[in-house]
Amino acid sequence: MKKTLQICVVILVGIFVLLTVLDYKGEYASQKELWKINKYFVEIAQDPNAAPSASFDKAAAQFNSYLKKFPNSSSTPIAHILLGRAHLLKKDYNKAREIYEEIVVKYKDRPEIAVQAVAEIGRSYADQGDIDGVMRVYDRIVADFPLTDLGLRTPLLKAKYYFDHNELQKASEAFSSAIVYYKQLIVKHPDSDIEYSALRLIASCYLAQERWEEAINVFSEMLLDFADPRYLNAQRAQTALNTINTISIVKLENYDLPIGIYQKFITKYPEHPITPTLEGMIKSFEVLKQKNVQAVESGS
Amino acid sequence: MPNHAEHKKIIPFLKTSVNALLENKVILFPFALVAFVQLFIIEILYFSPRYPLNVFFGPIISKIWSPAYLEYPLNFLLLPKMFQYSQMPIYIFVSSFFIAVAVGIIAAINADQKVNIGAIIKKTFSSYVHLIVAAIISFALVAVLFKLFGLVFTRAAQIRSTTGHFFMIKSIVMGGAPYFQLLLSIFATTLFAYVIPAIVIDNKKVFSALMVNFKSLKGAFWFTFFIVLTPSLLFMPILLLRNSIPLDFFAPELRLMTLVFSVFVMVLIDAIIYTAVTSFYLVKKEENS
């Protein structure tokens, strides 16, 4: 009996040791180590001004040792970015930018990582209040990584940055330039994911500029040309419809505009999952329209 | 072993059963083997996101849940769930058999016979099919009870009130779900408590064992219920711990430790319950003969 139990314990311990050793420097081990370093980093980063400078040095040392131990893990780029951020929070901007430039070179074949490093450089300039520096970084992103998610959003972000810093004239110009830029992208990449993203961004620019009718027309184009559920999922459909309805009722007081868009959609896609919703909306708009006519007649 | 006259007293009866366990550690042997199997499963599941086990488990986890659960620390969220899924086959094919072996050992001790584990295992194995069927029936009842509770839970989740009686009902049902499930498991265990002793001690086939079980329960249902309930309360701290640990509290590995600890507690609870239940079955049998 005792012997059997001893064998059981040896089996459990043996398998544990064996499986631990087999994955000693593997993906899982790297994720575990990064999680632990990052936990410490998140704690000190919550209030960077209160944390002593030495704590960021300690975090940076931990990230450096991680990068040496796991040079090829899938988490390595994240650790590299976090290393730069540790210097950024320590306000050692030059060192942070140096690290981010290293990342851009190291991951030149992986634009989604490289663009994140460039964005962090922009963040360092923003922390220093250097608007020109931020703008240079925005231009660099658009030039070097135009088709990444961030690259696509950057012209809009640039305009919003001016807007948030109360430079309204520059913001207006940047929104207009962004619209022109996105329209050029659509011409270059028709019927693609890029066209869809560009349309969404154009709509955001029009909304920011309060060009309501043009914004609705873009939403209409998105609905009619990108009805595939890959693009028009439940959440996106709801956002688009809510925007069209709100602008039509509140800003334009025009009920025929959404009715026309939804009727076109139903004719083109009678079997689409959102068709019943649109039919209901058309009825609601008809009622609103009726009430509005009665109100005007009784008023006159 | 206690006599029938004492059987109405639950605590002294359980105390005698625990003493019997401590004096005859051999009874714990089959339960230790169940613990070994459970720990082995936990070990495999714990290492499933890592090389080399991820070669097999990786695609399965990615397909059923999400590839995110192969990464640290999210794998610790999935671990208890996967372990729970493994419990059905373990109970039906492993636990029921070893509980039956433990019942055989208790019967041998009660009859002042020398405990020959090899012989008891061999004898129990001849009733393996009946044990499996009995375990399936017992598990099916638990599944049905859980399903019914699931309906109540869904209904409670639909309550929109944020104050008053309905909100109180919602809070009790939703917050107390693990405890209600424990209570339902205790009820199901009580309902089939004497099936394994009947199969092992009286060599009954599964359906006659069920009849004997219900006969034994007649007039002793609440006694049996409390015999099962009292040791099961040891599981409450685990439930409290399991439902209150956030993933980033101290270390995600705490979830693994809780799971390992729960295996030992469950095995201990089973050992106490089946020692007590078998003792009671034997006392009743002696009195009837």
Side-chain angles (χ1 to χ4, degrees):
Chain A
M1 192 173 86
K2 255 188 186 170
K3 208 174 170 185
T4 311
L5 292 177
Q6 281 169 351
I7 291 170
C8 289
V9 172
V10 168
I11 290 173
L12 288 175
V13 174
I15 290 176
F16 189 89
V17 172
L18 179 72
L19 291 174
T20 306
V21 169
L22 280 174
D23 191 50
Y24 174 61
K25 277 196 171 184
E27 270 300 303
Y28 185 86
S30 75
Q31 290 163 2
K32 186 175 169 179
E33 192 153 331
L34 184 59
W35 187 85
K36 283 179 180 161
I37 301 170
N38 193 40
K39 193 170 185 255
Y40 169 72
F41 183 58
V42 167
E43 274 168 25
I44 56 170
Q46 267 174 357
D47 190 357
N49 295 325
S53 168
S55 54
F56 292 108
D57 290 336
K58 187 182 165 188
Q62 286 177 336
F63 285 126
N64 269 320
S65 111
Y66 175 89
L67 290 168
K68 272 181 200 152
K69 192 173 171 187
F70 301 103
N72 300 315
S73 154
S74 66
S75 309
T76 304
I78 302 167
H80 221 142
I81 298 264
L82 290 172
L83 170 66
R85 204 169 284 170
H87 287 283
L88 199 68
L89 292 176
K90 199 189 150 195
K91 299 193 191 308
D92 186 353
Y93 297 112
N94 290 332
K95 180 69 185 170
R97 288 196 273 264
E98 191 185 302
I99 289 166
Y100 290 130
E101 291 294 355
E102 276 172 26
I103 298 172
V104 176
V105 175
K106 190 175 175 189
Y107 297 102
K108 59 177 184 292
D109 298 330
R110 293 174 66 182
E112 74 283 4
I113 293 165
V115 74
Q116 209 183 325
V118 179
E120 292 285 333
I121 294 173
R123 196 173 157 175
S124 74
Y125 286 119
D127 276 5
Q128 287 182 297
D130 180 353
I131 295 185
D132 290 341
V134 174
M135 290 303 143
R136 279 200 308 275
V137 170
Y138 278 143
D139 292 340
R140 181 177 169 188
I141 290 174
V142 175
D144 295 349
F145 310 98
L147 301 182
T148 58
D149 183 50
L150 186 60
L152 284 169
R153 282 189 292 121
T154 297
L156 175 66
L157 293 175
K158 195 174 166 180
K160 279 187 174 170
Y161 188 85
Y162 280 129
F163 187 82
D164 291 341
H165 286 77
N166 246 348
E167 300 215 30
L168 300 182
Q169 181 58 34
K170 281 185 180 174
S172 174
E173 283 166 17
F175 277 123
S176 300
S177 308
I179 291 167
V180 172
Y181 174 77
Y182 290 133
K183 283 184 177 169
Q184 284 169 350
L185 270 184
I186 290 172
V187 173
K188 274 190 208 164
H189 305 275
D191 304 322
S192 65
D193 289 1
I194 292 167
E195 180 183 354
Y196 180 74
S197 300
L199 282 172
R200 276 173 49 202
L201 293 160
I202 290 174
S204 299
C205 291
Y206 282 139
L207 290 176
Q209 289 187 307
E210 302 190 353
R211 290 160 70 178
W212 309 120
E213 209 156 329
E214 285 154 299
I216 285 200
N217 288 337
V218 176
F219 277 114
S220 160
E221 203 178 330
M222 282 163 68
L223 279 178
L224 292 167
D225 295 347
F226 291 90
D228 188 298
R230 189 160 68 93
Y231 298 106
L232 195 64
N233 57 32
Q235 197 188 341
R236 281 179 179 169
Q238 196 172 355
T239 309
L241 299 181
N242 283 348
T243 314
I244 293 173
N245 294 347
T246 310
I247 294 173
S248 303
I249 298 167
V250 180
K251 300 290 176 189
L252 301 173
E253 293 182 5
N254 179 348
Y255 308 119
D256 290 324
L257 192 60
I259 291 172
I261 294 169
Y262 299 158
Q263 276 171 343
K264 267 188 206 164
F265 187 93
I266 292 167
T267 313
K268 196 169 176 185
Y269 308 103
E271 303 297 324
H272 197 280
I274 68 162
T275 295
T277 312
L278 297 183
E279 284 167 344
M281 284 180 178
I282 289 173
K283 277 182 195 159
S284 305
F285 273 114
E286 296 286 6
V287 172
L288 273 176
K289 208 170 131 184
Q290 197 72 28
K291 280 184 182 168
N292 207 31
V293 170
Q294 282 168 357
V296 171
E297 281 172 356
S298 62
S300 62
Chain B
M1 304 280 165
N3 63 46
H4 197 188
E6 290 171 327
H7 88 262
K8 291 288 173 193
K9 297 171 184 170
I10 293 155
I11 299 298
F13 192 86
L14 279 171
K15 210 171 160 188
T16 316
S17 302
V18 172
N19 285 339
L21 259 179
L22 294 174
E23 282 164 22
N24 304 282
K25 292 196 178 65
V26 67
I27 302 170
L28 287 169
F29 178 64
F31 292 105
L33 292 180
V34 173
F36 164 70
V37 174
Q38 303 262 36
L39 292 174
F40 182 76
I41 301 279
I42 290 179
E43 198 166 32
I44 296 299
L45 295 176
Y46 169 61
F47 282 99
S48 62
R50 307 195 204 182
Y51 179 80
L53 298 187
N54 64 356
V55 176
F56 174 75
F57 285 102
I60 298 171
I61 292 172
S62 299
K63 185 144 195 188
I64 299 176
W65 293 284
S66 155
Y69 288 113
L70 291 165
E71 288 176 13
Y72 184 93
L74 283 182
N75 61 312
F76 286 101
L77 284 181
L78 191 61
L79 187 62
K81 201 178 256 186
M82 289 201 292
F83 182 63
Q84 204 182 334
Y85 289 139
S86 72
Q87 289 307 289
M88 186 179 77
I90 288 180
Y91 178 74
I92 291 171
F93 296 108
V94 181
S95 302
S96 62
F97 176 74
F98 284 115
I99 288 170
V101 171
V103 169
I105 293 171
I106 296 164
I109 292 169
N110 191 60
D112 289 329
Q113 291 169 357
K114 197 186 167 207
V115 176
N116 182 340
I117 292 177
I120 292 172
I121 288 179
K122 208 172 166 187
K123 184 178 170 275
T124 310
F125 196 72
S126 62
S127 308
Y128 191 45
V129 175
H130 299 290
L131 290 167
I132 288 176
V133 176
I136 291 172
I137 293 169
S138 168
F139 213 92
L141 177 72
V142 175
V144 169
L145 291 173
F146 275 29
K147 189 92 188 159
L148 290 174
F149 180 73
L151 295 175
V152 175
F153 187 90
T154 312
R155 180 65 195 88
Q158 288 168 349
I159 295 174
R160 287 182 182 179
S161 313
T162 49
T163 50
H165 293 305
F166 285 111
F167 177 68
M168 205 167 77
I169 292 169
K170 181 183 178 174
S171 306
I172 290 171
V173 172
M174 294 187 77
Y179 308 99
F180 284 119
Q181 284 171 338
L182 179 67
L183 202 64
L184 292 174
S185 302
I186 291 167
F187 175 73
T189 309
T190 307
L191 219 53
F192 295 106
Y194 301 105
V195 175
I196 294 180
I199 292 173
V200 177
I201 297 167
D202 292 331
N203 293 318
K204 297 279 181 195
K205 289 181 179 169
V206 63
F207 292 107
S208 11
L210 281 168
M211 298 302 287
V212 172
N213 169 69
F214 291 127
K215 247 187 216 172
S216 303
L217 270 179
K218 206 174 166 190
F221 179 82
W222 289 111
F223 170 75
T224 312
F225 178 78
F226 284 106
I227 284 291
V228 178
L229 173 81
T230 314
S232 300
L233 294 177
L234 287 173
F235 203 70
M236 294 287 269
I238 303 242
L239 283 180
L240 274 170
L241 199 66
R242 204 188 273 175
N243 295 309
S244 57
I245 308 174
L247 189 61
D248 57 353
F249 174 75
F250 181 58
E253 284 80 1
L254 206 60
R255 282 174 185 255
L256 171 71
M257 290 173 208
T258 313
L259 212 55
V260 170
F261 186 59
S262 73
V263 166
F264 288 112
V265 175
M266 274 311 295
V267 162
L268 183 70
I269 290 170
D270 278 350
I272 297 172
I273 289 173
Y274 281 99
T275 306
V277 162
T278 309
S279 302
F280 182 70
Y281 183 82
L282 288 167
V283 169
K284 252 192 148 181
K285 195 184 164 193
E286 274 170 27
E287 290 202 352
N288 289 339
S289 59

